[in-house]
Coordinates of all heavy atoms in Angstrom, one line a residue:
M775 N 28.0 -107.5 -3.1 CA 29.2 -107.0 -2.3 C 28.7 -106.8 -0.9 O 27.7 -106.2 -0.6 CB 29.6 -105.6 -2.8 CG 30.8 -105.0 -2.1 SD 31.3 -103.5 -3.0 CE 31.1 -102.3 -1.8
V776 N 29.5 -107.4 0.0 CA 29.2 -107.4 1.5 C 29.9 -106.1 1.9 O 31.0 -105.7 1.7 CB 29.9 -108.5 2.2 CG1 29.7 -108.4 3.7 CG2 29.3 -109.9 1.7
R777 N 29.1 -105.4 2.7 CA 29.5 -104.0 3.3 C 29.9 -104.2 4.7 O 29.2 -104.8 5.5 CB 28.4 -102.9 3.1 CG 28.2 -102.5 1.7 CD 27.3 -101.3 1.7 NE 27.2 -100.9 0.3 CZ 27.2 -99.7 -0.1 NH1 27.3 -98.7 0.8 NH2 26.9 -99.4 -1.3
N778 N 31.1 -103.8 4.9 CA 31.6 -104.0 6.3 C 32.1 -102.6 6.8 O 32.9 -102.0 6.0 CB 32.8 -104.9 6.3 CG 33.4 -105.2 7.7 OD1 33.1 -104.4 8.6 ND2 34.2 -106.2 7.7
N779 N 31.6 -102.1 7.9 CA 32.0 -100.7 8.3 C 33.4 -100.6 8.8 O 33.8 -99.6 9.2 CB 31.1 -100.1 9.3 CG 31.0 -100.7 10.6 OD1 31.8 -101.6 10.9 ND2 30.4 -100.0 11.5
R780 N 34.3 -101.8 8.8 CA 35.7 -101.6 9.1 C 36.5 -102.1 8.0 O 37.6 -102.5 8.2 CB 35.9 -102.5 10.3 CG 35.3 -101.8 11.6 CD 35.9 -102.5 12.9 NE 37.3 -102.3 13.0 CZ 37.8 -101.4 13.8 NH1 37.0 -100.5 14.5 NH2 39.1 -101.3 13.9
V781 N 36.0 -102.0 6.7 CA 36.8 -102.4 5.6 C 38.1 -101.5 5.5 O 38.0 -100.3 5.9 CB 36.0 -102.1 4.3 CG1 36.8 -102.3 3.1 CG2 34.8 -103.1 4.2
R782 N 39.2 -102.1 5.2 CA 40.4 -101.4 5.1 C 40.9 -100.9 6.3 O 41.7 -99.9 6.4 CB 40.4 -100.4 4.0 CG 40.0 -101.0 2.6 CD 39.9 -100.0 1.6 NE 41.2 -99.9 0.9 CZ 41.5 -99.1 -0.1 NH1 40.6 -98.3 -0.6 NH2 42.7 -99.1 -0.7
G783 N 40.5 -101.4 7.5 CA 41.0 -101.0 8.8 C 40.5 -99.7 9.4 O 41.0 -99.5 10.5
I784 N 39.7 -99.0 8.7 CA 39.3 -97.6 9.3 C 37.8 -97.7 9.4 O 37.1 -97.9 8.4 CB 39.7 -96.5 8.4 CG1 41.3 -96.5 8.2 CG2 39.3 -95.1 9.1 CD1 41.7 -95.4 7.2
P785 N 37.3 -97.5 10.7 CA 35.8 -97.6 10.8 C 35.2 -96.4 10.2 O 35.6 -95.2 10.1 CB 35.7 -97.6 12.4 CG 36.9 -97.0 12.9 CD 38.0 -97.4 11.9
L786 N 33.9 -96.6 9.7 CA 33.1 -95.6 9.1 C 32.8 -94.5 10.1 O 32.7 -93.3 9.8 CB 31.8 -96.0 8.5 CG 32.0 -96.9 7.2 CD1 30.6 -97.4 6.7 CD2 32.6 -96.0 6.1
A787 N 32.7 -94.9 11.4 CA 32.4 -93.9 12.4 C 33.4 -92.8 12.5 O 33.1 -91.6 12.8 CB 32.2 -94.5 13.7
A788 N 34.7 -93.2 12.3 CA 35.8 -92.2 12.3 C 35.6 -91.2 11.1 O 35.9 -90.0 11.2 CB 37.2 -92.9 12.2
M789 N 35.2 -91.7 10.0 CA 35.0 -90.9 8.8 C 33.9 -89.9 9.0 O 33.9 -88.7 8.7 CB 34.7 -91.8 7.5 CG 35.8 -92.7 7.1 SD 37.4 -91.8 6.8 CE 38.1 -92.1 8.3
E790 N 32.9 -90.4 9.7 CA 31.7 -89.5 10.0 C 32.1 -88.4 10.9 O 31.7 -87.2 10.8 CB 30.6 -90.4 10.7 CG 29.3 -89.5 10.9 CD 28.1 -90.3 11.4 OE1 28.2 -91.6 11.5 OE2 27.1 -89.7 11.6
K791 N 32.9 -88.6 11.9 CA 33.5 -87.6 12.8 C 34.3 -86.6 12.0 O 34.1 -85.3 12.3 CB 34.4 -88.2 13.9 CG 33.7 -88.8 15.0 CD 34.7 -89.2 16.1 CE 34.0 -89.7 17.4 NZ 35.0 -90.0 18.4
I792 N 35.1 -86.9 11.1 CA 35.9 -86.0 10.3 C 34.9 -85.2 9.5 O 35.1 -84.0 9.4 CB 36.9 -86.8 9.4 CG1 38.0 -87.5 10.3 CG2 37.5 -85.9 8.4 CD1 38.9 -88.4 9.5
I793 N 34.0 -85.8 8.8 CA 33.2 -85.0 8.0 C 32.2 -84.1 8.8 O 32.0 -82.9 8.4 CB 32.2 -85.9 7.1 CG1 33.1 -86.7 6.2 CG2 31.1 -85.2 6.4 CD1 32.3 -87.9 5.4
R794 N 31.7 -84.6 10.0 CA 30.9 -83.7 10.8 C 31.6 -82.5 11.3 O 31.0 -81.4 11.6 CB 30.4 -84.5 11.9 CG 29.1 -85.3 11.5 CD 28.6 -86.0 12.7 NE 27.5 -86.9 12.3 CZ 26.2 -86.8 12.7 NH1 26.0 -86.0 13.7 NH2 25.3 -87.5 12.4
K795 N 32.9 -82.6 11.4 CA 33.8 -81.4 11.9 C 33.6 -80.1 10.8 O 33.9 -79.1 11.2 CB 35.2 -81.7 12.1 CG 35.5 -82.5 13.3 CD 36.9 -82.8 13.6 CE 37.1 -83.5 14.9 NZ 38.6 -83.7 15.0
S796 N 33.3 -80.5 9.7 CA 33.1 -79.5 8.7 C 31.7 -78.7 8.8 O 31.6 -77.7 8.1 CB 33.2 -80.1 7.2 OG 32.1 -80.8 6.9
G797 N 31.0 -79.2 9.6 CA 29.6 -78.6 9.9 C 28.5 -79.3 9.4 O 27.3 -78.9 9.7
N798 N 28.7 -80.4 8.6 CA 27.6 -81.0 8.1 C 26.8 -81.8 9.2 O 27.6 -82.4 10.1 CB 28.0 -82.0 7.0 CG 28.4 -81.3 5.8 OD1 27.9 -80.2 5.6 ND2 29.4 -81.8 5.1
V799 N 25.6 -81.9 9.2 CA 24.8 -82.6 10.3 C 24.6 -84.0 9.9 O 24.7 -84.9 10.7 CB 23.5 -81.8 10.5 CG1 22.7 -82.6 11.5 CG2 23.7 -80.4 11.0
R800 N 24.2 -84.3 8.6 CA 24.0 -85.6 8.2 C 25.0 -86.1 7.2 O 25.4 -85.3 6.3 CB 22.6 -85.7 7.6 CG 21.5 -85.3 8.6 CD 20.1 -85.4 8.0 NE 19.8 -86.7 7.5 CZ 18.7 -87.0 6.7 NH1 17.9 -86.1 6.4 NH2 18.6 -88.3 6.3
V801 N 25.4 -87.3 7.3 CA 26.5 -87.9 6.3 C 26.0 -89.1 5.8 O 25.7 -90.1 6.7 CB 27.8 -88.0 7.2 CG1 28.9 -88.6 6.2 CG2 28.2 -86.7 7.8
S802 N 26.0 -89.4 4.5 CA 25.6 -90.6 3.9 C 26.7 -91.7 4.1 O 27.9 -91.3 4.2 CB 25.3 -90.5 2.5 OG 26.4 -90.2 1.7
D803 N 26.3 -92.9 4.1 CA 27.3 -94.0 4.2 C 28.3 -94.0 3.0 O 29.5 -94.2 3.2 CB 26.6 -95.3 4.3 CG 26.0 -95.7 5.6 OD1 26.4 -94.9 6.6 OD2 25.2 -96.6 5.7
S804 N 27.7 -93.6 1.8 CA 28.6 -93.6 0.6 C 29.6 -92.5 0.7 O 30.8 -92.6 0.3 CB 27.8 -93.4 -0.7 OG 27.0 -92.2 -0.6
A805 N 29.3 -91.4 1.4 CA 30.3 -90.2 1.7 C 31.4 -90.7 2.5 O 32.5 -90.5 2.3 CB 29.6 -89.0 2.1
K806 N 31.0 -91.5 3.6 CA 31.9 -92.0 4.6 C 32.9 -93.0 3.9 O 34.1 -92.9 4.1 CB 31.3 -92.7 5.7 CG 30.4 -91.7 6.6 CD 29.7 -92.5 7.6 CE 28.3 -92.3 7.8 NZ 27.5 -93.0 8.7
E807 N 32.3 -93.8 3.1 CA 33.1 -94.9 2.4 C 34.1 -94.2 1.4 O 35.2 -94.6 1.4 CB 32.2 -95.8 1.6 CG 31.5 -96.8 2.6 CD 30.4 -97.6 1.9 OE1 30.2 -97.6 0.7 OE2 29.6 -98.3 2.6
E808 N 33.6 -93.2 0.7 CA 34.4 -92.5 -0.3 C 35.7 -91.8 0.3 O 36.8 -91.9 -0.1 CB 33.6 -91.6 -1.2 CG 34.4 -90.9 -2.2 CD 35.0 -92.0 -3.3 OE1 34.4 -93.1 -3.4 OE2 36.0 -91.6 -3.9
L809 N 35.4 -91.2 1.5 CA 36.4 -90.5 2.2 C 37.4 -91.4 2.7 O 38.7 -91.2 2.6 CB 35.9 -89.7 3.4 CG 36.9 -88.9 4.2 CD1 37.7 -88.0 3.4 CD2 36.3 -88.2 5.5
R810 N 36.9 -92.6 3.2 CA 37.8 -93.6 3.7 C 38.8 -94.1 2.6 O 39.9 -94.4 2.8 CB 37.0 -94.8 4.3 CG 38.0 -96.0 4.7 CD 37.2 -97.0 5.4 NE 36.1 -97.6 4.7 CZ 35.2 -98.3 5.1 NH1 35.1 -98.6 6.4 NH2 34.1 -98.7 4.3
N811 N 38.2 -94.4 1.4 CA 38.9 -94.9 0.3 C 40.0 -94.0 -0.2 O 41.1 -94.3 -0.4 CB 38.0 -95.2 -0.9 CG 37.1 -96.4 -0.7 OD1 37.4 -97.3 0.2 ND2 35.9 -96.4 -1.3
I812 N 39.6 -92.6 -0.2 CA 40.6 -91.6 -0.6 C 41.8 -91.5 0.5 O 42.9 -91.5 0.0 CB 39.9 -90.3 -0.7 CG1 39.0 -90.2 -2.0 CG2 40.9 -89.1 -0.8 CD1 38.0 -89.1 -2.0
L813 N 41.3 -91.5 1.7 CA 42.4 -91.4 2.8 C 43.4 -92.7 2.7 O 44.6 -92.5 2.9 CB 41.8 -91.2 4.1 CG 41.1 -90.0 4.4 CD1 40.4 -89.9 5.8 CD2 42.0 -88.7 4.2
V814 N 42.8 -93.9 2.6 CA 43.6 -95.0 2.4 C 44.5 -95.0 1.2 O 45.7 -95.3 1.4 CB 42.8 -96.3 2.4 CG1 43.6 -97.5 2.1 CG2 42.0 -96.5 3.8
E815 N 44.0 -94.5 0.1 CA 44.8 -94.4 -1.1 C 46.0 -93.5 -0.9 O 47.1 -93.7 -1.2 CB 43.9 -94.0 -2.3 CG 44.7 -93.9 -3.6 CD 43.7 -93.4 -4.6 OE1 42.7 -94.0 -4.8 OE2 44.1 -92.4 -5.4
K816 N 45.7 -92.4 -0.2 CA 46.8 -91.3 0.0 C 47.8 -91.9 1.0 O 49.0 -91.7 0.8 CB 46.2 -90.0 0.5 CG 45.4 -89.3 -0.6 CD 46.3 -88.8 -1.7 CE 45.5 -88.1 -2.8 NZ 46.2 -87.7 -3.9
A817 N 47.3 -92.5 2.0 CA 48.2 -93.2 3.0 C 49.1 -94.1 2.4 O 50.3 -94.2 2.7 CB 47.4 -93.8 4.2
E818 N 48.6 -94.9 1.4 CA 49.4 -95.9 0.7 C 50.5 -95.3 -0.1 O 51.7 -95.7 -0.2 CB 48.6 -96.8 -0.1 CG 47.7 -97.8 0.7 CD 46.6 -98.6 -0.2 OE1 46.4 -98.3 -1.3 OE2 46.1 -99.5 0.4
E819 N 50.1 -94.2 -0.8 CA 51.1 -93.5 -1.6 C 52.3 -92.9 -0.7 O 53.4 -92.9 -1.0 CB 50.4 -92.3 -2.3 CG 49.5 -92.7 -3.4 CD 48.6 -91.6 -4.0 OE1 49.0 -90.4 -3.8 OE2 47.7 -91.9 -4.8
I820 N 51.8 -92.3 0.4 CA 52.8 -91.6 1.3 C 53.7 -92.7 1.8 O 54.9 -92.5 1.9 CB 52.1 -90.9 2.4 CG1 51.5 -89.6 1.8 CG2 53.1 -90.5 3.6 CD1 50.5 -88.9 2.8
T821 N 53.1 -93.9 2.2 CA 53.9 -94.9 2.8 C 54.9 -95.5 1.8 O 56.1 -95.8 2.2 CB 53.0 -96.1 3.3 OG1 52.1 -95.5 4.2 CG2 53.7 -97.2 3.9
K822 N 54.5 -95.6 0.5 CA 55.5 -96.1 -0.5 C 56.7 -95.1 -0.6 O 57.9 -95.5 -0.7 CB 54.8 -96.2 -1.8 CG 53.9 -97.5 -1.9 CD 53.1 -97.5 -3.2 CE 52.2 -98.7 -3.2 NZ 51.3 -98.7 -4.4
K823 N 56.3 -93.8 -0.6 CA 57.4 -92.8 -0.8 C 58.3 -92.8 0.5 O 59.6 -92.8 0.4 CB 56.8 -91.5 -1.0 CG 57.8 -90.4 -1.3 CD 57.4 -89.6 -2.5 CE 58.5 -88.8 -3.0 NZ 58.2 -87.9 -4.1
A824 N 57.7 -93.0 1.7 CA 58.5 -93.0 2.9 C 59.4 -94.2 2.9 O 60.6 -94.1 3.4 CB 57.5 -93.0 4.1
R825 N 58.9 -95.3 2.4 CA 59.7 -96.6 2.3 C 60.9 -96.2 1.4 O 62.1 -96.6 1.7 CB 59.0 -97.7 1.9 CG 59.7 -99.0 1.8 CD 59.0 -100.2 1.3 NE 58.8 -100.0 -0.1 CZ 57.7 -100.3 -0.8 NH1 56.6 -100.8 -0.2 NH2 57.6 -100.1 -2.0
M826 N 60.8 -95.6 0.3 CA 61.8 -95.3 -0.7 C 62.8 -94.4 0.1 O 64.0 -94.5 -0.1 CB 61.3 -94.7 -1.9 CG 60.5 -95.6 -2.8 SD 59.7 -94.8 -4.2 CE 60.8 -93.6 -4.8
L827 N 62.3 -93.5 0.8 CA 63.3 -92.4 1.5 C 64.0 -93.2 2.6 O 65.3 -92.9 2.7 CB 62.4 -91.4 2.2 CG 61.7 -90.3 1.2 CD1 60.7 -89.5 1.9 CD2 62.8 -89.5 0.5
S828 N 63.5 -94.1 3.3 CA 64.2 -94.8 4.3 C 65.2 -95.7 3.7 O 66.4 -95.8 4.2 CB 63.3 -95.6 5.3 OG 62.7 -96.7 4.6
N829 N 64.9 -96.4 2.6 CA 65.8 -97.2 1.8 C 67.0 -96.4 1.3 O 68.1 -96.8 1.4 CB 65.1 -97.9 0.7 CG 64.3 -99.0 1.1 OD1 64.3 -99.6 2.3 ND2 63.3 -99.4 0.3
H830 N 66.7 -95.2 0.8 CA 67.8 -94.4 0.3 C 68.7 -93.9 1.4 O 69.9 -93.8 1.2 CB 67.1 -93.1 -0.4 CG 68.1 -92.2 -1.0 ND1 68.8 -92.5 -2.1 CD2 68.5 -90.9 -0.5 CE1 69.7 -91.4 -2.3 NE2 69.5 -90.5 -1.4
A831 N 68.2 -93.8 2.6 CA 69.0 -93.4 3.7 C 69.7 -94.6 4.3 O 70.4 -94.5 5.3 CB 68.2 -92.7 4.8
G832 N 69.5 -95.7 3.7 CA 70.2 -97.0 4.2 C 69.6 -97.6 5.5 O 70.1 -98.3 6.2
R833 N 68.3 -97.3 5.7 CA 67.5 -97.9 6.8 C 66.4 -98.8 6.4 O 65.9 -98.7 5.3 CB 66.9 -96.7 7.6 CG 67.9 -95.8 8.4 CD 67.2 -94.8 9.2 NE 66.9 -93.6 8.4 CZ 65.7 -93.2 7.9 NH1 64.7 -93.9 8.1 NH2 65.5 -92.2 7.2
K834 N 66.1 -99.7 7.2 CA 65.0 -100.7 7.0 C 63.7 -100.1 7.8 O 62.6 -100.5 7.4 CB 65.2 -102.0 7.5 CG 66.3 -102.8 6.7 CD 66.5 -104.2 7.2 CE 67.5 -104.9 6.3 NZ 67.7 -106.3 6.8
T835 N 64.0 -99.1 8.7 CA 62.8 -98.6 9.4 C 62.4 -97.3 8.9 O 63.2 -96.4 8.6 CB 63.3 -98.5 10.9 OG1 63.8 -99.6 11.4 CG2 62.2 -97.9 11.8
I836 N 61.1 -97.2 8.7 CA 60.5 -95.9 8.3 C 60.4 -95.1 9.5 O 59.7 -95.5 10.5 CB 59.2 -96.1 7.6 CG1 59.3 -96.9 6.3 CG2 58.5 -94.8 7.3 CD1 58.1 -97.3 5.6
K837 N 60.9 -93.9 9.5 CA 60.9 -92.9 10.6 C 59.9 -91.9 10.3 O 59.4 -91.7 9.3 CB 62.2 -92.3 10.9 CG 63.3 -93.4 11.3 CD 64.6 -92.6 11.8 CE 65.5 -93.6 12.4 NZ 66.7 -92.9 13.0
E838 N 59.5 -91.1 11.4 CA 58.6 -90.0 11.4 C 59.1 -89.0 10.3 O 58.2 -88.5 9.5 CB 58.5 -89.3 12.7 CG 57.6 -88.1 12.7 CD 57.6 -87.4 14.1 OE1 58.2 -87.9 15.1 OE2 56.9 -86.3 14.2
E839 N 60.3 -88.7 10.2 CA 60.9 -87.8 9.2 C 60.7 -88.2 7.8 O 60.4 -87.4 6.9 CB 62.3 -87.6 9.5 CG 63.2 -88.7 9.3 CD 64.6 -88.6 9.9 OE1 64.6 -88.3 11.1 OE2 65.5 -89.0 9.2
D840 N 60.6 -89.5 7.6 CA 60.4 -90.1 6.3 C 58.9 -89.8 5.8 O 58.6 -89.4 4.8 CB 60.6 -91.6 6.2 CG 62.2 -91.9 6.4 OD1 63.0 -91.1 6.0 OD2 62.3 -92.9 7.2
V841 N 58.0 -90.1 6.8 CA 56.6 -89.9 6.5 C 56.2 -88.4 6.3 O 55.6 -88.1 5.4 CB 55.8 -90.4 7.7 CG1 54.2 -90.1 7.5 CG2 55.9 -91.9 7.9
K842 N 56.9 -87.6 7.2 CA 56.6 -86.1 7.0 C 57.1 -85.6 5.6 O 56.4 -84.8 4.9 CB 57.4 -85.3 8.1 CG 56.6 -85.4 9.4 CD 57.3 -84.6 10.5 CE 56.6 -84.6 11.8 NZ 57.2 -83.8 12.8
L843 N 58.3 -86.0 5.2 CA 58.9 -85.6 4.0 C 58.1 -86.2 2.7 O 57.8 -85.4 1.8 CB 60.4 -86.0 3.8 CG 61.0 -85.6 2.5 CD1 61.0 -84.1 2.4 CD2 62.5 -86.1 2.6
A844 N 57.7 -87.4 2.8 CA 56.8 -88.0 1.9 C 55.5 -87.3 1.7 O 55.1 -87.1 0.6 CB 56.7 -89.5 2.1
A845 N 54.9 -86.9 2.8 CA 53.6 -86.2 2.7 C 53.7 -84.8 2.2 O 52.9 -84.4 1.4 CB 53.1 -86.1 4.2
K846 N 54.9 -84.2 2.4 CA 55.1 -82.8 1.9 C 55.3 -82.9 0.3 O 54.9 -82.0 -0.3 CB 56.4 -82.2 2.5 CG 56.2 -81.6 3.8 CD 57.4 -80.9 4.3 CE 57.3 -80.3 5.6 NZ 58.6 -79.6 6.1
T847 N 56.0 -83.9 -0.1 CA 56.3 -84.0 -1.5 C 55.1 -84.6 -2.3 O 55.2 -84.7 -3.5 CB 57.6 -84.9 -1.8 OG1 57.4 -86.1 -1.3 CG2 58.7 -84.1 -1.1
N848 N 54.1 -85.2 -1.6 CA 53.0 -85.8 -2.2 C 51.9 -84.8 -2.2 O 51.2 -84.7 -1.1 CB 52.7 -87.1 -1.5 CG 51.7 -88.0 -2.2 OD1 51.4 -87.6 -3.3 ND2 51.4 -89.1 -1.7
S849 N 51.5 -84.2 -3.3 CA 50.5 -83.2 -3.3 C 49.1 -83.8 -3.2 O 48.9 -84.8 -3.8 CB 50.6 -82.3 -4.5 OG 50.5 -83.1 -5.6
F850 N 48.3 -83.1 -2.3 CA 46.9 -83.7 -2.2 C 46.1 -83.0 -3.2 O 45.3 -82.3 -3.2 CB 46.4 -83.4 -0.8 CG 47.1 -84.4 0.2 CD1 48.2 -84.1 0.9 CD2 46.6 -85.7 0.4 CE1 48.8 -84.9 1.8 CE2 47.2 -86.5 1.3 CZ 48.3 -86.2 2.0

């Protein structure tokens, strides 16, 4: 398996910044990759729900309100 630090569009450096904000000094690559995978999965779930909400409202465009409502109803 080829490892690319920009797999799925989000750089591992961004994941490291998020994790380091919790106070950890060192972060393994596998921890960064796992956080990225979880965040992408959750973003996909929220996006699907937001798309359903915009369709229900008769719109083709997903608006901020759709994303906010989808995130609220999608428990983490």
Side-chain angles (χ1 to χ4, degrees):
M775 178 173 122
V776 176
R777 289 189 180 219
N778 180 347
N779 75 351
R780 288 193 67 97
V781 171
R782 302 180 94 178
I784 303 174
L786 286 180
M789 298 301 98
E790 184 170 0
K791 279 185 172 182
I792 292 169
I793 294 171
R794 283 183 179 234
K795 283 184 180 182
S796 71
N798 291 331
V799 177
R800 297 178 61 189
V801 183
S802 71
D803 284 344
S804 62
K806 295 178 229 176
E807 290 171 6
E808 186 60 24
L809 179 60
R810 175 176 56 196
N811 291 337
I812 291 168
L813 291 177
V814 168
E815 183 180 308
K816 291 296 181 185
E818 288 171 352
E819 291 173 12
I820 291 169
T821 302
K822 286 177 186 174
K823 187 131 192 183
R825 185 183 67 219
M826 289 174 38
L827 291 166
S828 69
N829 287 343
H830 181 71
R833 291 183 272 104
K834 291 183 179 180
T835 303
I836 296 174
K837 293 188 172 186
E838 178 183 356
E839 62 199 46
D840 300 321
V841 175
K842 285 181 178 181
L843 183 57
K846 281 184 182 178
T847 60
N848 194 0
S849 61
F850 289 95

